[in-house]
Amino acid sequence: MTNPTEIKALVFDVFGTIVDWRSGVAREASAFLQRHAPSLDAFAFADAWRREYSPSMEEIRSGRRPYVRLDVLHRENLVKVLERSGIAGVTDAEIDELNLAWHRLDPWPDALGALNRLKRRFIIAPLSNGNIRLMVDMAKRAGLPWDAILGAEVVRAYKPSPQVYSETVDILGLAPAELCLVAAHNGDLAAARRLGLSTAFVVRPTEHGPNQKTDLKADEAWDFVVGDLNELASQLDASID
Amino acid sequence: MTNPTEIKALVFDVFGTIVDWRSGVAREASAFLQRHAPSLDAFAFADAWRREYSPSMEEIRSGRRPYVRLDVLHRENLVKVLERSGIAGVTDAEIDELNLAWHRLDPWPDALGALNRLKRRFIIAPLSNGNIRLMVDMAKRAGLPWDAILGAEVVRAYKPSPQVYSETVDILGLAPAELCLVAAHNGDLAAARRLGLSTAFVVRPTEHGPNQKTDLKADEAWDFVVGDLNELASQLDASID
């Protein structure tokens, strides 16, 4: 297990771990659906859009397609969902605008305070599959105090491809265990642990809505298992007292 | 000329434009020289180290050497300067420590206030040849409020290679003129202008010490020519009033 006193930097999964993507996308989709398909449920629309997320990245992870940033995949996936939902006659400008929903997600209630607290002792950065501009827009709107924007676009690969973790360790000039991935997803943490990173699981039991079935508990003995990010900050503080 | 109201993001040269590298490196070298070569002048040492900067990057810009980050070049250049100065018997740990001088540079007096002001309206980021960890350490120590760390390491190329500017425009999802490079160096601005970026020249007449001969004035009609970064913020504010 990691000795917590050696951790120098914390990197964070963002969609689900830092921000509530489902409520945010549903909020943005709601106004759009009012105009184009008022009978459709905005949360179901958000879920349908998100279901295309992992398959679209898999094309790139597998090497079948060169890296393109997530804004591009999100837009392609949105077009698919619109077609499948029978929504036609949408202008390109409307699609571009709705695609920015992912740039305007709100943080979970504990995130801002805890990140500001963690930033005093650690380098903090997103390690998200979201692209740099998406992360910058989100951070500026919400006040997320990142020290840098790391993640997929810097490495030009998508998690959980191993180079996303290993190249981020290298960029930060750290030993793997000195870098801790904080995520609400066991799969992300498992990939990070295989590369020697420290791991922190934060439970986000409503990321997928009230009937969530996945990632309700830690599947492995992660270095930290916490209910929110303030709890993580407190455990890290306690480790050096 | 650029219409100032279209600028969406500002990227900054850092060494010389945001921070006073010469005083900072001399300060850090001073303690080192006290131990190893008390007769050597710390400013001359800083200048000698910096003289190796551009030639070392030129190896990479020319394609003769694959990209390595600036921390690596700085260390190689330091070893050269030590040898040339006849300083022997320095441990690897001491060299590593002195190499971090570049992570601990102080901003010019106007930089922090102006950056905080510019951050309210624009995306702000370094576009430096310094690597990500160097920029993060510098920003955390000095309080530089960057929205992201862009520059050489993200693109894996060194300014003034054109892809550093063009790929940064692409990462930010902007039209070239929507991105303004702020720099104290005419050559950097000329390279940015060739790619269509907006340009702001800030005069830093003592970057190279009291007898500076270069970059004392704008060599072209840059979009903005200012005495410090507050003046730039005021001109940008005035352009939207």
Side-chain angles (χ1 to χ4, degrees), chain B residues 139-168:
Chain B
K140 283 185 88 79
R141 178 180 174 279
L144 299 168
W146 303 125
D147 289 312
I149 306 292
L150 301 175
E153 190 170 12
V154 175
V155 176
R156 301 181 67 81
Y158 282 108
K159 294 189 297 179
S161 294
Q163 67 265 40
V164 182
Y165 310 94
S166 58
E167 289 186 24
T168 300

Side-chain angles (χ1 to χ4, degrees), chain B:
Chain B
M1 299 300 291
T2 297
N3 173 356
T5 60
E6 67 184 319
I7 292 171
K8 304 280 199 305
L10 301 164
V11 288
F12 297 78
D13 174 67
V14 172
F15 300 121
T17 302
I18 297 294
V19 298
D20 176 4
W21 61 264
R22 188 172 186 263
S23 301
V25 171
R27 178 196 67 222
E28 300 266 335
S30 176
F32 173 87
L33 293 171
Q34 285 290 322
R35 297 195 301 277
H36 291 284
S39 67
L40 290 188
D41 177 67
F43 284 101
F45 188 89
D47 290 336
W49 195 358
R50 181 69 171 183
R51 266 195 300 277
E52 300 299 323
Y53 172 72
S54 193
S56 66
M57 291 188 296
E58 189 53 29
E59 289 299 298
I60 292 162
R61 287 192 288 245
S62 66
R64 287 190 292 272
R65 182 180 183 183
Y67 173 82
V68 295
R69 60 181 62 102
L70 189 62
D71 275 342
V72 174
L73 298 179
H74 271 156
R75 196 185 192 287
E76 293 173 355
N77 295 341
L78 174 56
V79 168
K80 271 188 213 173
V81 171
L82 292 174
E83 284 173 1
R84 204 175 294 153
S85 311
I87 301 174
V90 183
T91 65
D92 278 353
E94 276 181 296
I95 294 176
D96 289 341
E97 178 60 25
L98 182 52
N99 201 41
L100 292 176
W102 300 91
H103 296 222
R104 300 186 192 118
L105 303 176
D106 290 325
W108 297 108
D110 54 299
L112 280 190
L115 288 177
N116 277 300
R117 194 171 151 194
L118 291 164
K119 184 183 168 103
R120 286 182 227 133
R121 269 187 58 205
F122 303 99
I123 294 171
I124 61 167
L127 191 79
S128 169
N129 282 331
N131 49 290
I132 293 173
R133 177 63 191 268
L134 190 167
M135 288 292 131
V136 167
D137 285 349
M138 179 194 284
K140 283 185 88 79
R141 178 180 174 279
L144 299 168
W146 303 125
D147 289 312
I149 306 292
L150 301 175
E153 190 170 12
V154 175
V155 176
R156 301 181 67 81
Y158 282 108
K159 294 189 297 179
S161 294
Q163 67 265 40
V164 182
Y165 310 94
S166 58
E167 289 186 24
T168 300
V169 165
D170 190 48
I171 284 168
L172 290 173
L174 297 174
E178 293 176 330
L179 181 62
C180 182
L181 175 68
V182 183
H185 308 125
N186 285 284
D188 199 359
L189 295 171
R193 177 172 270 185
R194 279 193 288 274
L195 278 303
L197 278 72
S198 299
T199 51
F201 178 72
V202 52
V203 191
R204 296 298 192 192
T206 60
E207 174 188 354
H208 294 278
N211 303 313
Q212 181 166 324
K213 300 281 188 300
T214 55
D215 289 315
L216 294 172
K217 61 171 187 49
D219 288 349
E220 294 185 37
W222 307 120
D223 298 306
F224 302 88
V225 175
V226 294
D228 66 28
L229 297 176
N230 282 310
E231 202 182 323
L232 177 63
S234 296
Q235 290 194 18
L236 284 163
D237 280 346
S239 73
I240 55 154
D241 283 348

